[in-house]
Amino acid sequence: MNFQEILEKIKTKHEVLESKEDLGVLNAYIATAKIAAVAAFMKDELKFEQLNFITAVDFPANNAIEVVYHFFSYETADSVVLRIKLDRAKAEVPTISGVFKTADWHEREASEMFGIKFSGHPDLNRLLLPDGIESPLRKDYKNPDMTPLPKA
Amino acid sequence: MALLKELLYNSGKPLSEFSSWMHAIWAGWGMPGFLLDFIFQLVIVLAVTAVLVLNALWIIYYDRKISALMQIRKGPNRVGPFGLLQTLADTVKLLIKEDVNPKKIDILSFWIAPLIIFIPTFAVFLVLPFGNGLVPADLNIGILYIIAITGLSVIGILAAGWGSNNKYSLIGGMRSAAQIVSYEIPMVLVILAVVLMSGTMKMSGIVAAQSNRVWFVVPQFLGFIIFLIAGNAEVNRAPFDLPEAESELVAGFNTEYSAMKFAFFYLAEYTNLFLTSAVAATLFLGGWQGPFLPPIVWFFIKTYFVITILCWIRWTFPRIRVDQLMEFSWKYLLPLALLNLVVTAVILKF
Amino acid sequence: MIKYLFDLVKGIVSLFEGLGVTLKHCFRRPITLQYPEKRPDISLRFRGRLVMPVDPATGDNRCTACMLCVRACPNHSIDVEKLIGEDGKPKPKVSKYIYNLGSCMFCNLCVESCAFAAIIMSDEYETAVQNKASLIMDLAAEKYKLSGKKAPWWQSKFKQEEGA
Amino acid sequence: MIKAPFEMEKISDEEYILNMGPQHPSTHGVLRIVLKLDGEVVTGLYPDVGYIHSSVEKMCENKKFEMITPYTDRLDYLSAVNYNWAYVAAVEKLMGIQLPERAEYMRVMLAELNRIMSHLLWYSAFGMDVGALTPIFYAFREREEVIDMVEGMTGGRLTHHAFRIGGFKNDLQKDFLSRLEKFLAKFEDRICEYEALLINNVILTARTKGVGILDKDTAINYGVTGPVLRGSGCAIDLRKNAPYSVYSKFDFRVCTGKNGDTWDRLKVRMDEMRESAKILKQAAAMLPAGEFCAKVPRVIKPAPGEVYTKVESARGEFGVYMVSDGTEKPYRIKFRSPSFSNLSVLKEITIGSKIADVVAIMGSLDLVIPEIDR
């Protein structure tokens, strides 16, 4: 399937806000509240069984954090990226850990790294970071301990 | 020369002659006889202990060399010629190290555990016939004594596990207790079959019973195998090294032990290995009997043969799981040992 | 029942197979390398610590203090100070080449970036030192003499590799 | 690094908490597993990761593209070549660099040698986990040979920094192919020896068969990849399913297990070593002459865009998600590491088994902690 076909298929059931092609891979923007339903649709109907990863990209210029869901289908070897645009100040998105178990840890990681709240997540505890470090992967993160390496 | 030969080949007679000769002199000085007996026994105990400690050091070296041979490496070769002094150096290092007592330990059981393990291990050797008549104390119930005393070490392991105040130690101690208790039974049943065949519980008697007939390993082959397995389990060596399973329980019951106390455990472990092998050699391989060489040499050759087999097994097999360990003992070894006993009894009767 | 017995026999056979493997290895040559006395034969391209060897042709290092290696280093392990001549102007020569072994990750990017092959990853692999301060070293002052099989390779500016 | 949730819960009188790690002989790194135990039976489990989190992703945002390759070595120090590959392929895809044929084959050869290296280390470590102390010496004997070969090619023994963007820095060393041939000639027999010593041993099969059963659907649902997934009976291998580089030209089998238990995972890895040897033989025969590096601009500035490249590493699917904004440095890099997902399934397959099984199952998952923590 090329990206156009996949896009058409998603569009039959769910609304796609915006879409683009990036090196042959479909990037579809989904409404925030819809993500769990779309993920379930991807898994059950379109046979995208594998969720490769969930992460986020911070765009302070647009005041947006984009959550990226990367799917892969073992049958057709196609990839699809679903994206959600979030407000940087109020980043909250429903969890899809009920659909994909692998989302559990990936959401925890994205949550602590970007300060995104995944509402409905069963165990949104810290995964990798110790207490006291808040969303280090945001572009405006400043840590007083973070000094540049000494010049040799 | 003749005396030396006599001493080597038929140690009992010259020793008793020497003893009565000393008694005569002693009585001439007007001293009570029991005092001399006491001194004699003290000397014997010290001699046996010294021999065993040195022997344990040598076994450690031997084990390491065997493992090196199997693992295509060279093993200890730095301290002394061929690394012979390596284990001595290790022991000295352990003895002079700082003695660490962790917080919140049960100090009494923590301290007493190495001793409880160490002492019975050495006490057992009093009834082992090293050569013809070379028995420190030839008890009538020698084999019973061995079974009874070796059973004591489980208390030490439990005490170590409990006293360390460490969950790994506790699990290790518990595993060890369960393991020793369940493997003792098939072992005792096998020994019982041997006793049936020889008609005595005296260790020297069991050896003597094998002199005119074949060694018991032939009629009691199944028994010998069961004894090796159970004995291997009793000394907590791979594949039955669950109490100190490194990858699961860090070091099991000796997780918290260091320095001298650890050295005690270590020496006791290898002495136990020697003990099991020696008992196997005595019960099944004809003890000290053998042509040409002096009896004591034969005794050690046979013992080391068994040790080599146990080492070979240790360095080849993975560890067994705890429930399988119990299952193996109760479901396979025990019925087999019982069968062995019954068949032996029936054959002897008819 | 037959399957049970079959499995039992198979299990026992598998035990003896394992014993056979270890027994077979008893008669193979040990692979031990008695380390401090015998050294491993390390390859030509091995990346040990960074050195700035003295070129025997000129008796000095080849560095021109162009800072390419400083820019190529991923974790700022290299710092270069240019030689200031008597007239107060910087010369294309290095006065101090400071290398932090502690943060170096032996990626070879500095050597690859160098246009003059002034630096090379040596075959020194025993780089432990007593204190952290001695991890930071001045390579220009060290006047390292490259020897062994790396020397001709470096002489040819990494152009030609000898046989092996 | 948090307190495990069930620590706060009420624990019955029969149960207790055991901290396995962060320093424990069988967690293979700095991993803490909190176990709730009833005697020896595991009733609760909570993996606690992050002890060596080094924020590689943040670091990479401040590095130029060519500087990041050595960092990917350090994510998984056991199969560094494959990790290089995923990263380098991402940049190449963004820049549209076409590799010369020879470079592709060289990459395949190094990657397969690397897979053998990693599996051999796994084999020895697993032997240690289950209490067999001899396999490590046999496996390391072969591993040394492989490492020597890769060292001769790249210069590094563990963190090879093997690939550069666009190909290689050096050609294969002259004796590489002859050494490879010599090694492959005896490797098959050696694998049989390994299997006789450990994998087929009845004690081990009794310990691992029917233990830690991971069924197909759960595995896919948890995003498990690599030998663990194939052990569950899923014939999914990125080298076959989404062939990258020249993998489609080789004839090899995707090894799978039947029941998804621990033993299947072991067997899959042993078979995979054989398949890797097969690929190596073919690659050595097919290796074309020519250039080993493509023409790469001196300053690496990919076009703006996003890319996700994935390779089948020794542990599973390793992917690099890269966002470029057209500068010399990546805007965002995400490393999708296989052990991260593989560890998350541990709780699912361990509860109800014994402590010894936890160790065996963890060994069969073949975790490398730095790539989980990153």
Side-chain angles (χ1 to χ4, degrees):
Chain A
M1 287 188 285
N2 62 23
F3 89 106
Q4 206 64 40
E5 287 173 32
I6 302 171
L7 182 62
E8 292 306 318
K9 277 191 181 163
I10 298 175
K11 271 185 175 171
T12 56
K13 284 278 172 63
H14 296 280
E15 190 190 358
V16 175
L17 300 178
E18 209 184 309
S19 66
K20 61 177 179 185
E21 185 191 2
D22 209 338
L23 292 169
V25 177
L26 169 70
N27 280 252
Y29 286 84
I30 304 289
T32 311
K34 285 280 189 58
I35 181 65
V38 179
F41 171 73
M42 299 284 289
K43 184 185 173 189
D44 299 332
E45 317 242 327
L46 298 189
K47 297 288 175 221
F48 282 87
E49 309 101 326
Q50 194 198 15
L51 173 65
N52 291 82
F53 63 88
I54 298 174
T55 189
V57 187
D58 186 22
F59 295 104
N62 313 344
N63 187 32
I65 284 184
E66 291 187 2
V67 185
V68 178
Y69 299 80
H70 199 287
F71 296 93
F72 181 71
S73 165
Y74 286 134
E75 277 173 23
T76 57
D78 283 321
S79 297
V80 168
V81 180
L82 296 186
R83 305 173 78 97
I84 291 175
K85 253 194 194 128
L86 296 175
D87 188 5
R88 288 186 90 231
K90 208 159 72 15
E92 188 172 343
V93 58
T95 176
I96 63 164
S97 59
V99 186
F100 287 96
K101 281 278 175 54
T102 179
D104 188 334
W105 278 29
H106 279 101
E107 280 178 357
R108 277 172 71 184
E109 194 196 340
S111 155
E112 63 182 348
M113 294 294 179
F114 288 91
I116 302 168
K117 187 166 182 286
F118 287 89
S119 50
H121 191 282
D123 174 27
L124 204 58
N125 272 314
R126 297 234 154 191
L127 186 68
L128 298 173
L129 296 177
D131 290 339
I133 299 180
E134 296 301 330
S135 42
L137 278 182
R138 286 197 184 199
K139 286 284 173 186
D140 53 0
Y141 174 74
K142 286 275 183 299
N143 190 336
D145 294 345
M146 222 167 75
T147 47
L149 280 166
K151 267 277 182 182
Chain B
M1 202 61 214
L3 181 71
L4 191 68
K5 204 178 168 196
E6 177 90 359
L7 200 63
L8 273 176
Y9 282 89
N10 194 7
S11 324
K13 213 169 120 230
L15 280 180
S16 67
E17 275 169 10
F18 175 75
S19 164
S20 50
W21 177 66
M22 276 298 283
H23 263 290
I25 295 174
W26 196 260
W29 293 347
M31 302 282 251
F34 69 88
L35 208 59
L36 185 70
D37 284 338
F38 180 71
I39 291 170
F40 270 151
Q41 274 157 14
L42 206 65
V43 168
I44 288 169
V45 165
L46 285 179
V48 167
T49 312
V51 166
L52 287 179
V53 168
L54 286 177
N55 190 45
L57 292 180
W58 160 251
I59 295 176
I60 296 172
Y61 172 81
Y62 184 74
D63 189 21
R64 290 177 67 175
K65 273 291 185 194
I66 291 219
S67 78
L69 204 60
M70 283 174 183
Q71 295 168 349
I72 44 173
R73 52 191 180 90
K74 287 185 175 158
N77 61 355
R78 294 277 159 160
V79 190
F82 306 108
L84 270 169
L85 300 179
Q86 179 69 50
T87 43
L88 193 67
D90 290 347
T91 318
V92 170
K93 185 208 90 177
L94 279 177
L95 292 185
I96 60 177
K97 265 181 100 167
E98 186 196 348
D99 198 29
V100 182
N101 283 326
K103 267 184 188 170
K104 292 185 180 174
I105 50 168
D106 188 337
I107 194 86
L108 181 69
S109 48
F110 187 74
W111 273 81
I112 210 166
L115 294 178
I116 298 183
I117 294 177
F118 195 66
I119 292 169
T121 312
F122 284 82
V124 171
F125 283 92
L126 285 183
V127 296
L128 269 188
F130 288 88
N132 190 3
L134 206 62
V135 188
D138 201 5
L139 299 182
N140 278 334
I141 49 159
I143 192 71
L144 199 63
Y145 171 82
I146 290 179
I147 295 164
I149 297 284
T150 47
L152 277 180
S153 67
V154 67
I155 300 173
I157 290 176
L158 264 183
W162 174 258
S164 299
N165 188 28
N166 178 325
K167 283 169 191 163
Y168 291 121
S169 301
L170 187 61
I171 301 174
M174 288 299 183
R175 278 183 177 188
S176 178
Q179 178 177 332
I180 291 182
V181 165
S182 42
Y183 276 86
E184 200 128 273
I185 297 166
M187 194 165 167
V188 169
L189 287 176
V190 168
I191 291 174
L192 214 57
V194 172
V195 170
L196 274 184
M197 284 194 75
S198 58
T200 174
M201 281 191 178
K202 207 173 182 172
M203 291 302 274
S204 55
I206 294 174
V207 176
Q210 297 177 65
S211 62
N212 42 9
R213 275 176 284 160
V214 287
W215 294 346
F216 285 160
V217 67
V218 179
Q220 287 286 330
F221 186 72
L222 181 64
F224 179 62
I225 300 293
I226 294 173
F227 186 89
L228 274 191
I229 294 171
N232 203 6
E234 290 242 328
V235 294
N236 298 338
R237 280 168 69 86
F240 303 105
D241 59 344
L242 294 120
E244 42 201 293
E246 187 226 46
S247 56
E248 298 151 29
L249 302 181
V250 186
F253 60 84
N254 47 30
T255 306
E256 298 287 353
Y257 281 93
S258 58
M260 200 144 141
K261 296 200 281 283
F262 178 73
F264 270 74
F265 275 118
Y266 207 61
L267 285 181
E269 189 189 321
Y270 276 90
T271 314
N272 249 329
L273 171 66
F274 181 72
L275 169 74
T276 308
S277 311
V279 172
T282 310
L283 293 187
F284 296 99
L285 300 178
W288 44 261
Q289 297 174 41
F292 312 121
L293 293 171
I296 189 151
V297 177
W298 271 113
F299 174 78
F300 275 98
I301 285 176
K302 286 169 183 172
T303 308
Y304 272 89
F305 171 70
V306 180
I307 289 178
T308 312
I309 291 181
L310 292 186
C311 287
W312 187 12
I313 289 172
R314 174 184 183 176
W315 295 111
T316 304
F317 291 150
R319 189 183 302 120
I320 198 166
R321 202 171 59 207
V322 63
D323 55 328
Q324 290 162 353
L325 179 90
M326 294 294 145
E327 206 178 277
F328 185 58
S329 170
W330 295 102
K331 277 194 188 164
Y332 299 94
L333 281 192
L334 185 62
L336 276 179
L338 265 175
L339 186 76
N340 182 48
L341 180 65
V342 171
V343 170
T344 311
V346 168
I347 289 176
L348 283 180
K349 180 75 186 165
F350 302 106
Chain C
M1 185 65 196
I2 289 165
K3 192 179 175 297
Y4 174 82
L5 283 176
F6 180 72
D7 282 352
L8 198 72
V9 171
K10 215 173 101 186
I12 291 168
V13 166
S14 80
L15 289 182
F16 279 99
E17 268 176 11
L19 288 172
V21 171
T22 40
L23 186 67
K24 204 160 66 186
H25 279 81
C26 287
F27 305 108
R28 289 197 181 157
R29 210 158 42 81
I31 48 167
T32 311
L33 188 76
Q34 288 288 349
Y35 164 56
E37 291 97 30
K38 286 186 192 148
R39 300 273 161 170
D41 178 37
I42 52 174
S43 57
L44 182 69
R45 295 173 191 166
F46 179 77
R47 305 196 300 262
R49 81 166 176 89
L50 190 67
V51 292
M52 183 183 271
V54 174
D55 196 338
T58 59
D60 200 2
N61 58 48
R62 292 175 181 165
C63 183
T64 57
C66 64
M67 311 292 269
L68 272 177
C69 50
V70 179
R71 263 174 250 141
C73 184
N75 41 21
H76 313 287
S77 303
I78 302 173
D79 200 7
V80 174
E81 276 180 29
K82 278 198 176 185
L83 188 73
I84 308 289
E86 276 156 22
D87 52 353
K89 281 186 185 153
K91 293 262 150 59
K93 205 78 205 141
V94 67
S95 80
K96 257 188 182 174
Y97 192 97
I98 293 172
Y99 165 59
N100 187 348
L101 180 59
S103 68
C104 175
M105 56 181 185
F106 307 100
C107 62
N108 214 26
L109 283 175
C110 49
V111 179
E112 283 163 22
S113 71
C114 187
F116 306 95
I119 46 179
I120 180 174
M121 290 284 189
S122 72
D123 47 11
E124 270 183 43
Y125 48 87
E126 292 151 318
T127 49
V129 288
Q130 291 287 336
N131 54 355
K132 270 189 180 176
S134 36
L135 284 172
I136 298 171
M137 44 185 103
D138 187 348
L139 296 187
E142 195 186 25
K143 298 216 181 302
Y144 190 85
K145 295 239 178 353
L146 193 68
S147 58
K149 59 177 160 187
K150 281 204 173 204
W153 187 44
W154 174 72
Q155 286 287 344
S156 72
K157 299 200 174 180
F158 310 127
K159 290 290 181 324
Q160 42 187 259
E161 292 187 2
E162 297 288 309
Chain D
M1 277 188 268
I2 41 103
K3 223 172 167 210
F6 64 75
E7 273 185 293
M8 277 88 85
E9 276 171 27
K10 205 167 166 245
I11 289 169
S12 75
D13 293 346
E14 300 285 316
E15 290 173 335
Y16 61 101
I17 297 286
L18 183 73
N19 253 318
M20 213 179 216
Q23 279 87 31
H24 187 278
S26 65
T27 51
H28 303 296
V30 199
L31 165 71
R32 171 170 164 241
I33 301 230
V34 189
L35 296 171
K36 189 161 73 166
L37 296 169
D38 178 4
E40 292 238 5
V41 180
V42 179
T43 53
L45 180 141
Y46 196 84
D48 185 6
V49 295
Y51 282 87
I52 44 174
H53 175 67
S54 52
S55 206
V56 171
E57 290 168 13
K58 185 80 179 175
M59 265 199 271
C60 291
E61 289 178 12
N62 298 315
K63 309 262 179 232
K64 288 182 216 158
F65 280 101
E66 65 268 30
M67 287 178 179
I68 295 171
T69 328
Y71 281 94
T72 54
D73 282 341
R74 279 146 183 87
L75 289 177
D76 178 353
Y77 42 82
L78 297 181
S79 58
V81 174
N82 282 299
Y83 284 59
N84 279 172
W85 199 347
Y87 169 73
V88 169
V91 182
E92 281 159 4
K93 205 168 169 187
L94 270 181
M95 296 180 71
I97 297 174
Q98 195 63 43
L99 251 68
E101 191 88 329
R102 184 177 173 82
E104 296 276 20
Y105 279 90
M106 278 160 70
R107 282 192 173 178
V108 168
M109 279 159 83
L110 280 183
E112 291 308 318
L113 279 178
N114 200 231
R115 192 182 316 277
I116 290 178
M117 255 165 74
S118 173
H119 282 347
L120 283 177
L121 190 125
W122 157 80
Y123 169 77
S124 39
F126 185 80
M128 299 286 270
D129 281 348
V130 294
L133 301 174
T134 305
I136 184 169
F137 293 95
Y138 299 172
F140 265 56
R141 172 187 55 191
E142 267 72 60
R143 189 166 180 268
E144 277 301 300
E145 276 181 48
V146 183
I147 289 184
D148 282 346
M149 259 186 275
V150 180
E151 183 208 329
M153 166 64 208
T154 63
R157 288 184 75 80
L158 202 62
T159 47
H160 312 293
H161 190 195
F163 299 167
R164 307 291 192 276
I165 294 162
F168 286 84
K169 189 67 197 170
N170 295 311
D171 203 352
L172 289 174
Q173 77 267 33
K174 278 173 193 153
D175 60 347
F176 183 85
L177 288 178
S178 59
R179 275 162 87 175
L180 181 69
E181 202 178 324
K182 228 169 81 191
F183 168 75
L184 290 177
K186 65 186 173 195
F187 188 55
E188 193 76 10
D189 293 344
R190 294 288 158 89
I191 297 177
C192 293
E193 257 175 26
Y194 301 154
E195 287 195 333
L197 181 61
L198 185 66
I199 305 295
N200 290 337
N201 189 306
V202 69
I203 299 176
L204 189 93
T205 46
R207 270 193 67 171
T208 50
K209 280 203 170 157
V211 166
I213 295 176
L214 174 64
D215 63 76
K216 212 166 158 175
D217 296 337
T218 319
I220 292 179
N221 202 2
Y222 269 91
V224 168
T225 47
V228 183
L229 178 63
R230 290 193 282 278
S232 301
C234 261
I236 287 163
D237 188 325
L238 290 180
R239 292 174 293 173
K240 268 266 195 279
N241 288 58
Y244 50 98
S245 186
V246 286
Y247 270 115
S248 49
K249 294 185 186 170
F250 299 115
D251 166 42
F252 66 99
R253 192 168 58 86
V254 178
C255 318
T256 50
K258 273 198 206 86
N259 313 318
D261 55 14
T262 308
W263 192 82
D264 278 347
R265 297 196 273 275
L266 316 183
K267 186 71 181 162
V268 163
R269 284 205 181 83
M270 299 310 283
D271 287 344
E272 251 177 41
M273 283 200 265
R274 293 199 173 100
E275 296 304 313
S276 284
K278 225 156 99 186
I279 295 176
L280 277 169
K281 261 179 209 151
Q282 295 170 37
M286 288 154 78
L287 181 71
E291 284 292 304
F292 53 84
C293 195
K295 284 254 176 300
V296 180
R298 200 166 167 77
V299 181
I300 294 173
K301 252 186 192 176
E306 294 180 7
V307 67
Y308 178 69
T309 51
K310 45 191 186 284
V311 297
E312 182 76 28
S313 91
R315 261 149 280 279
E317 175 190 328
F318 176 70
V320 174
Y321 173 71
M322 191 189 292
V323 182
S324 156
D325 59 349
T327 56
E328 283 189 338
K329 295 170 182 172
Y331 187 76
R332 162 110 176 89
I333 280 193
K334 154 90 184 166
F335 296 117
R336 189 258 185 228
S337 52
S339 292
F340 188 77
S341 301
N342 291 2
L343 177 63
S344 68
V345 85
L346 180 67
K347 183 177 179 179
E348 196 80 8
I349 58 179
T350 311
I351 291 193
S353 46
K354 311 271 188 307
I355 301 179
D357 294 335
V358 177
V359 173
I361 293 169
M362 259 191 333
S364 76
L365 293 181
D366 193 15
L367 305 168
V368 167
I369 311 305
E371 64 157 351
I372 299 173
D373 290 355
R374 280 160 296 150

